[in-house]
Amino acid sequence: MRRRTSRRAYTKKRIGNRIKSQWSKISAGAGALAAVSNITSQDMAASTGQPIAARAQNFANSISGRIIGFTPFKNAAGANTPQTISLEGMFNKYTGIGLGLLGYAMIPARILPHKAKARTLGKSLFGAGLISGIFSPSGNPHTHNLISPSHSTPIVQSAGVT
């Protein structure tokens, strides 16, 4: 006699299979979102509470300003976003999460679930964190602008008493 599965169990299994087959796309999207969030994190505060068009202009200024040093919207919020290239930004929360997921995927225990998914998502987040960390704003005043010949402002150090 053939066993009938309930409609709910069949639907749940079908949704699970759909997510499983789309996991690489979900991971790539999560990596892209992490990269954009990492680059624009501090600049988007300038347009909080403004209309969506002003926020979109600030977003475009933030992305293009941080990566290539050009801001397309000169009178929008975030128009003075400098190009930022800094290696210290590479070690951020996304690289940490990516390394954690890659470490989880390398544990040799067979009982752990979703190791392949963790590896895929870990690679995506780790790569996004590394690449976007180069362009993310940091506390370091030594920013390098490849388009403009002007130098960044020097650090003023006060003489300490020894």
Side-chain angles (χ1 to χ4, degrees):
M1 182 173 199
R2 191 171 146 195
R3 184 174 175 209
R4 294 185 69 194
T5 59
S6 68
R7 183 173 178 85
R8 184 175 181 179
Y10 175 73
T11 304
K12 189 174 181 180
K13 185 175 181 180
R14 200 171 81 196
I15 290 171
N17 286 341
R18 208 179 284 161
I19 290 172
K20 205 180 299 181
S21 67
Q22 300 294 323
W23 190 253
S24 62
K25 292 176 186 172
I26 292 169
S27 295
L33 181 63
V36 167
S37 173
N38 200 17
I39 293 171
T40 63
S41 61
Q42 292 179 353
D43 300 327
M44 291 303 290
S47 64
T48 302
Q50 293 184 356
I52 191 73
R55 289 185 61 81
Q57 288 177 345
N58 187 16
F59 179 78
N61 278 342
S62 177
I63 290 287
S64 63
R66 293 280 176 205
I67 295 175
I68 61 174
F70 172 73
T71 52
F73 303 104
K74 299 294 183 199
N75 53 358
N80 57 354
T81 304
Q83 182 182 21
T84 307
I85 298 175
S86 173
L87 295 180
E88 75 179 23
M90 290 172 55
F91 305 104
N92 53 50
K93 61 183 172 185
Y94 300 111
T95 54
I97 293 170
L99 281 175
L101 287 170
L102 287 172
Y104 174 83
M106 290 181 191
I107 295 174
R110 290 180 186 247
I111 196 167
L112 297 175
H114 306 295
K115 286 170 57 173
K117 289 179 184 178
R119 182 179 299 112
T120 304
L121 184 60
K123 282 192 243 179
S124 178
L125 288 178
F126 181 70
L130 281 178
I131 293 170
S132 68
I134 294 172
F135 302 109
S136 69
S138 66
N140 189 353
H142 298 292
T143 58
H144 304 284
N145 190 338
L146 299 177
I147 294 176
S148 173
S150 65
H151 297 286
S152 62
T153 58
I155 297 176
V156 177
Q157 296 179 348
S158 61
V161 178
T162 57

